[in-house]
Amino acid sequence: MATVAHCLFCFDVLSAGLERREHLTLPQVEDLWSRYQNRAEQAAQSDPTLEEPDHHGDDQDLEDGEDPLSPSDHDLEESSSDEEGLAATVASPPSTLRIPTISHLQAPSPASASTSSIPSSVSDSSSRFSSADPASKTSSSTSIFSFGRRSKQPSPARREQYPLFVTWNTISTRGHKSLRGCIGTFEAQELASGLENYALTAAFDDTRFSPIRSVELPTLANHITLLHTFTPCAHPLDWSLGTHGLRISFTYHGRRYGATYLPDVAVEQGWSKEETIVSLMRKAGWTGRSRDWSTVGDLKAVRYEGKGEGCRWSTYRDWRDWVNKLEGEGVDKR
């Protein structure tokens, strides 16, 4: 399942790209986050008046009575003209998985569906942030990056692969959340490289938005969802609200369309199963009457599960300041 450490890693990748420096590796972030949590727990035990900060989730402090997120804040869609609804992959070669890669949140029109995919510039744009100019690296990176070398072999968990989604939201001063970028893939990714690639792609290459700027960092929240257990549905309503995400595909006016919602979308919107299906079809480009959804040709569905986790910039900044302090004090992190 996704963890706060995964979100911190995405924040470090993004901020490092904007600052033109190296980012920590995922194992380093996981180890340092564990130490940071242990430190906070020990401080709370020694002083019962201290409250342990809530590092989990990016939805906890929204205002009472606030309208639920629009579907586009948590869904990810794809469309294509081919039979399987394939879309272009980002920073990964085609695989033999049955579940193909999907593109960013965008509701294509039938006329544009055949070319709807992540633009070819994604790889070039994202890669320019994947490694910093050696001349611009901070002097602290050397010893910080040496941390974690005690684990010479990656653990089995770190070798796992997942289909994944990376979402960036902005949080207003009143706690209102707005989508800032969301891109993911149904092709299993090695976790560290997948999170790195899609953190940058969602931040800089979601064509509905301008690239995220440094000045926006303090307003950001990150959400990671790792997907698993893909099962073809016996019929379009063969899935459970609140448990399953849903991916559909269908033929309309001679073209193949598809779209997906993550597991929490339908419940957040208060939709029934049929309303969810109709919404997905409309997002994919269908313009028929709602009551006619079941008559659309070759409508197929795949259900899946996924557990998400999120955190805000403030959590990342507090943790990163602690890491920087360790570096400044010359603490042996091995």
Side-chain angles (χ1 to χ4, degrees):
M1 62 178 290
T3 68
V4 173
H6 295 154
C7 300
L8 296 176
F9 175 67
C10 288
F11 263 122
D12 205 55
V13 167
L14 175 58
S15 62
L18 291 169
E19 296 166 8
R20 310 300 290 177
R21 61 170 172 83
E22 286 191 67
H23 61 77
L24 297 173
T25 67
L26 180 57
Q28 288 169 338
V29 171
E30 290 171 331
D31 290 335
L32 286 165
W33 174 243
S34 178
R35 290 184 61 182
Y36 180 78
Q37 285 186 300
N38 291 338
R39 165 188 166 276
E41 291 172 0
Q42 292 170 2
Q45 291 173 0
S46 63
D47 186 351
T49 63
L50 294 177
E51 292 186 4
E52 185 176 352
D54 179 13
H55 299 297
H56 297 276
D58 56 357
D59 305 328
Q60 300 302 316
D61 299 327
L62 297 182
E63 294 177 314
D64 292 339
E66 182 180 342
D67 292 338
L69 298 177
S70 65
S72 63
D73 284 344
H74 270 236
D75 68 318
L76 191 63
E77 298 183 13
E78 57 85 20
S79 65
S80 177
S81 60
D82 62 29
E83 183 175 354
E84 296 300 326
L86 294 173
T89 63
V90 177
S92 62
S95 76
T96 58
L97 293 180
R98 296 179 58 198
I99 305 299
T101 303
I102 55 180
S103 182
H104 44 70
L105 273 161
Q106 193 169 5
S109 66
S112 63
S114 62
T115 59
S116 176
S117 65
I118 297 173
S120 60
S121 62
V122 164
S123 296
D124 293 338
S125 177
S126 299
S127 64
R128 71 178 182 267
F129 297 100
S130 63
S131 61
D133 182 348
S136 66
K137 296 176 184 176
T138 63
S139 60
S140 64
S141 63
T142 302
S143 55
I144 281 286
F145 275 69
S146 67
F147 176 59
R149 290 177 183 171
R150 66 182 183 275
S151 301
K152 295 184 179 180
Q153 296 298 326
S155 67
R158 290 170 183 162
R159 291 195 297 267
E160 289 180 350
Q161 298 185 347
Y162 296 92
L164 57 88
F165 298 75
V166 177
T167 302
W168 295 106
N169 294 303
T170 56
I171 309 296
S172 72
T173 55
R174 294 178 56 84
H176 179 70
K177 182 192 299 184
S178 300
L179 182 66
R180 192 61 180 83
C182 180
I183 296 180
T185 178
F186 278 128
E187 288 193 13
Q189 306 287 305
E190 190 278 324
L191 197 52
S193 61
L195 290 174
E196 178 180 359
N197 290 334
Y198 284 94
L200 295 175
T201 303
F204 299 120
D205 295 299
D206 188 329
T207 57
R208 295 163 305 148
F209 306 98
S210 60
I212 290 176
R213 300 169 299 156
S214 297
V215 70
E216 297 177 81
L217 289 175
T219 70
L220 290 180
N222 176 259
H223 194 88
I224 306 298
T225 309
L226 305 182
L227 309 181
H228 61 89
T229 316
F230 292 84
T231 306
C233 296
H235 52 83
L237 302 180
D238 180 27
W239 53 282
S240 299
L241 287 166
T243 299
H244 297 116
L246 190 67
R247 184 185 186 189
I248 65 166
S249 62
F250 58 93
T251 300
Y252 181 56
H253 290 173
R255 296 183 183 274
R256 195 71 183 165
Y257 292 84
T260 188
Y261 281 148
L262 297 181
D264 52 353
V265 171
V267 173
E268 287 182 349
Q269 299 302 313
W271 291 333
S272 67
K273 290 184 179 181
E274 287 195 11
E275 289 171 332
T276 303
I277 294 290
V278 171
S279 178
L280 271 174
M281 294 175 68
R282 296 221 183 279
K283 297 287 280 186
W286 182 61
T287 59
R289 294 178 298 182
S290 296
R291 65 175 179 269
D292 295 335
W293 70 266
S294 60
T295 66
V296 173
D298 198 23
L299 176 58
K300 297 179 180 179
V302 174
R303 64 177 185 259
Y304 58 86
E305 299 176 41
K307 177 62 177 177
E309 185 60 89
C311 77
R312 298 187 182 186
W313 170 261
S314 57
T315 298
Y316 167 75
R317 190 66 268 171
D318 289 345
W319 167 79
R320 200 55 165 87
D321 286 345
W322 174 79
V323 172
N324 292 341
K325 183 178 179 181
L326 290 183
E327 171 62 15
E329 293 175 348
V331 175
D332 182 1
K333 305 172 193 65
R334 295 177 294 175

